[in-house]
Amino acid sequence: MSHPATPPALVRDIFGEVHMLSHLVGSASRLDIARLTQLEKELETEREKTARQEMRLKTAAEERIALQQRLRQMEERAVNAEALAAHAQRARSEDTALPGRADTEDTRAGMLARRLKEAEERYDALQREHEQLQDLSHSILRENETLEAIIAAEDGHGAKHVIPQQSGPVLYVGGRRNLFDHLRSCAETRNVDLLLHDGGMEDSTTLLPALVGQAATILFPVDHISHAAVGLVKRLCREQGKSYLPLRSAGLASFLAAISGAGGAYGRL
């Protein structure tokens, strides 16, 4: 364009071409900037989601540690109760082996017998509580393992873990309605056909017989469902020959553990 022999027509052509190129470059830059902004937003969203999942795992791990400490305390108390019961039994045997003792010895024997009975009852209660805590600890452990597997699948492959289609629809009765959308989302990503009923809070219980008839397995959280709804669900399952699974809580972790088959619990009577 700066050559003195360049004719005006060629200068105009060159200017027009360069002008159009500047428009194309500017348009492409704007698209790249918009795409970069969108990717940054998506990255921030994924980071927040990962942070929340890590926090839930940390909380669950702390709960498991607390349960293990409590189990150890219960075991120590059970050992002490056994020792007390054995001591009382020996004392009673010694008293019965020596006839002719005074009335005070008879009174002492009666007192020791009562203490022995109380110790045995306390030991039985502690043993039952110990077994319940063990079951709870195992349930939490299975849920933690399921969540860790899901997070590992998401982090490693960039997609949610999908399990094969279950044998039929799953009916979830009870729980919190504000979590229903999350339950549906979790079920859809795992190829689970999910039916929902709030246990009679807003949904009519007259719908339950038909829903139980459609479902292959029925789930219900024991901490967020009425006794009447539980009784109705169990009766309908017995009448229709369907399996049901009580869940530890109405949280997403228990639901994920159930539909993911953690510990082989899915579909168990």
Side-chain angles (χ1 to χ4, degrees), residues 66-72 74 126-140:
L67 281 174
Q68 290 174 345
Q69 293 175 346
R70 189 177 178 189
L71 283 173
R72 286 194 294 270
M74 297 298 296
L126 290 175
Q127 187 67 26
R128 289 192 297 270
E129 186 175 356
H130 174 72
E131 293 173 355
Q132 292 172 357
L133 289 174
Q134 280 188 323
D135 291 341
L136 179 60
S137 177
H138 293 160
S139 298
I140 293 176

Side-chain angles (χ1 to χ4, degrees), residues 171 196-197 202-214 232 236:
L171 172 60
L196 293 169
H197 190 285
E202 296 182 18
D203 300 332
S204 173
T205 55
T206 58
L207 301 174
L208 278 175
L211 291 173
V212 171
Q214 298 176 45
L232 179 57
L236 291 172

Side-chain angles (χ1 to χ4, degrees), residues 43 51 93 114 117 128 135 139 155 159 195 197 210 218 226 229 231 259:
L43 177 60
S93 299
R114 287 192 300 271
K117 183 178 180 181
R128 289 192 297 270
D135 291 341
S139 298
D155 292 342
L195 307 173
H197 190 285
I218 294 84
S226 66
I259 66 174

Side-chain angles (χ1 to χ4, degrees), residues 143 172 176 220-224 246-255:
E143 293 170 9
Y172 186 92
R176 296 189 289 269
F220 57 84
V222 296
D223 66 338
H224 211 283
L247 303 184
R248 180 181 65 86
S249 74
L252 292 177
S254 294
F255 177 73

Side-chain angles (χ1 to χ4, degrees), residues 46-64:
E46 290 300 322
R47 285 175 176 171
E48 292 176 356
K49 180 181 177 182
T50 301
R52 290 194 300 269
Q53 291 173 335
E54 291 177 349
M55 183 60 68
R56 287 197 297 268
L57 281 175
K58 181 180 178 181
T59 301
E62 291 174 351
E63 290 178 356
R64 184 172 62 184

Side-chain angles (χ1 to χ4, degrees), residues 21-112:
L21 285 173
S22 68
H23 281 295
L24 293 174
V25 171
S27 176
S29 297
R30 287 193 297 273
L31 291 175
D32 290 340
I33 291 172
R35 178 57 178 164
L36 177 61
T37 302
Q38 179 64 28
L39 290 174
E40 289 176 345
K41 291 180 179 179
E42 293 177 359
L43 177 60
E44 185 63 26
T45 301
E46 290 300 322
R47 285 175 176 171
E48 292 176 356
K49 180 181 177 182
T50 301
R52 290 194 300 269
Q53 291 173 335
E54 291 177 349
M55 183 60 68
R56 287 197 297 268
L57 281 175
K58 181 180 178 181
T59 301
E62 291 174 351
E63 290 178 356
R64 184 172 62 184
I65 292 173
L67 281 174
Q68 290 174 345
Q69 293 175 346
R70 189 177 178 189
L71 283 173
R72 286 194 294 270
Q73 294 173 355
M74 297 298 296
E75 289 173 352
E76 292 175 357
R77 292 163 63 184
V79 170
N80 293 335
E82 286 182 340
L84 178 61
H87 177 73
Q89 180 65 36
R90 286 195 301 269
R92 186 170 60 180
S93 299
E94 292 173 359
D95 289 344
T96 55
L98 297 174
R101 282 180 175 265
D103 293 341
T104 54
E105 293 297 326
D106 294 337
T107 303
R108 182 170 176 271
M111 180 184 65
L112 290 174

